[in-house]
Amino acid sequence: MGIRIAGTGSYAPEKILTNFDLEKMVETSDEWIRTRTGIQERHIAASEQACSDLAFQAASRAIEMAGMSAADIDFIFVASITNDKVFPSTACILQHKLGAVNSGCIDIEAACSGLLYGMELAIGLMRGHKKNKYRNILVVGAEKLSNLVDWEDRNTCVLFGDGAAAVILQSTDDESELVVSSEVKADGKYGDILQIRAGGSACPTTHETIDQKLHYMYMEGQEVFKAAVGAMVGACKNVLEEAGVTPDQVAWLVPHQANYRILKAVASRLEVPEERVFMNLDRYGNTSAASIGLCLDEMVRGNKVSKGDYVLLTAFGGGLTWAAVLLKWN
Ligand code: UT7
């Protein structure tokens, strides 16, 4: 049995918030945001749009590209830190919206690494059943981060955006391998440097937690920056070594779109030239679990990737979690 990507899809809400718009909201400047992060604008969901609505748009586009119906999907993973509800899962809500009546459903919480965690689990599920029980698996990364951001905090509000992206992994009758090697890792010791401090069982919501703004994104930016570079470089080196692939054979390095300085640092340490690093964060900002899928969909629809290309995906996020997945496009 082989595995291929049968379809990709993405969705970004209509409303665009530019750096110049942010200049009117907090003490910042287009120049600071561009030079420190590479971001120029981000998309912001409408108040009535939930995470599953963004996921629905992306998943529908992937299903259409795959030329299948929602009923053909055997399993749905949704990666998000901005789920519609505590429960039921966003995957179940999405399943109902899609009419994917034959699928199992589960959410994944691995922050910005969520899509890669989802792909790893999907491939394990496909390979784990001798009877080829799970032929089509939908993996979605979807985020409405505008709800988690304190729009008065310039340290974080300039970084994030809303969006969703989907990938359909499909088993094939030939032996063609999509995933050549992969590594997903975490280190919970560093959980405090990137987190939402209140709203869970450790610190339930009270009037005080709301007054103290503990339901918004908390981030120690420089610590996250350092950890992100080290972890992604290490994971990428490991998957390349395991596959016997050298950096000069990599057609595209697709890192989580957090900050162009992080992306450049990762690329330079891996010795992958900048022109082979896929970047679209100037238009989307950091969309957490959606970010790598937004890149993949843009690459596929823009014919930027060809059969036989090595594509190295890598992500890093709260948890701390990180991952690298080396694809050979088929
Ligand atoms: O998906 C994973 C999650 N997050 C990340 O990957 C983020 C990782 N970290 C980063 O990308 C960077 O650390 C940031 C972009 C968050 C910050 O960049 P930095 O170069 O590390 O800046 P800094 O935090 O050292 O701040 C430098 C200065 C400070 O002023 P002082 O203390 O030097 O006077 C900040 O208060 O920049 C100030 N500053 C701003 N100024 C204008 C912070 N945010 C802003 C802002 N506009 N939006």
Side-chain angles (χ1 to χ4, degrees), residues 26-29 32-33 36-37 112 154-156 158-160 194 219-225 228 256-259 261-262 286 288 316-318:
V26 286
E27 202 185 322
T28 190
S29 66
W32 191 96
I33 303 170
R36 297 282 179 134
T37 72
C112 310
R154 69 176 185 173
N155 290 297
T156 51
V158 303
L159 303 174
F160 299 99
L194 182 54
M219 184 176 74
E220 293 171 28
Q222 287 188 3
E223 293 309 310
V224 175
F225 193 119
H256 165 50
Q257 306 285 299
N259 182 327
R261 290 188 291 141
I262 295 179
N286 181 345
S288 186
F316 178 89

Side-chain angles (χ1 to χ4, degrees), residues 16-23 25 30 33 40-42:
I16 291 174
L17 188 74
T18 67
N19 292 349
F20 298 104
D21 296 325
L22 281 162
E23 283 180 355
M25 296 163 62
D30 169 60
I33 303 170
Q40 294 184 32
E41 57 188 37
R42 67 288 290 143

Side-chain angles (χ1 to χ4, degrees), residues 225-248:
F225 193 119
K226 277 185 267 174
V229 175
M232 286 194 284
V233 169
C236 286
K237 283 186 173 167
N238 290 345
V239 297
L240 286 172
E241 193 184 313
E242 190 190 323
V245 172
T246 53
D248 56 290

